[in-house]
Amino acid sequence: PTGAEFYVNGRRQGQTPGTAEGLAVTEEVVLEIKKRGYVAQTQRLKWDGKRELTVNVTLEKAAERRRRR
């Protein structure tokens, strides 16, 4: 959802939709997306020779997850 906070390697980068700049393309990147009322998502990303990564993440509402248990 729009307005979720996103972190790269533990450092806050801003809110979604957003861009993180100045990252070393040789590093593995840990992306975390959080928003109140939603289940946080964490992904490990590899550059694989790319100069830019585009990631689309769908956050699940926390209440929906509890109902399915």
Side-chain angles (χ1 to χ4, degrees):
T2 300
E5 292 185 342
F6 74 99
Y7 299 78
V8 175
N9 298 334
R11 296 185 67 194
R12 187 177 185 280
Q13 299 292 313
Q15 291 187 334
T16 59
T19 302
E21 296 180 354
L23 303 173
V25 296
T26 56
E27 295 179 6
E28 178 180 82
V29 174
V30 177
L31 173 68
E32 186 174 12
I33 311 231
K34 300 177 183 180
K35 186 168 184 173
R36 184 183 303 251
Y38 290 83
V39 179
Q41 294 286 324
T42 301
Q43 295 183 8
R44 291 189 178 279
L45 308 170
K46 293 191 179 199
W47 293 100
D48 293 327
K50 299 174 187 154
R51 296 186 57 79
E52 182 176 298
L53 295 173
T54 300
V55 180
N56 293 306
V57 177
T58 301
L59 295 182
E60 180 181 6
K61 287 192 176 187
E64 291 175 9
R65 186 173 200 176
R66 284 193 295 267
R67 275 185 268 171
R68 285 193 274 150
R69 289 185 178 180

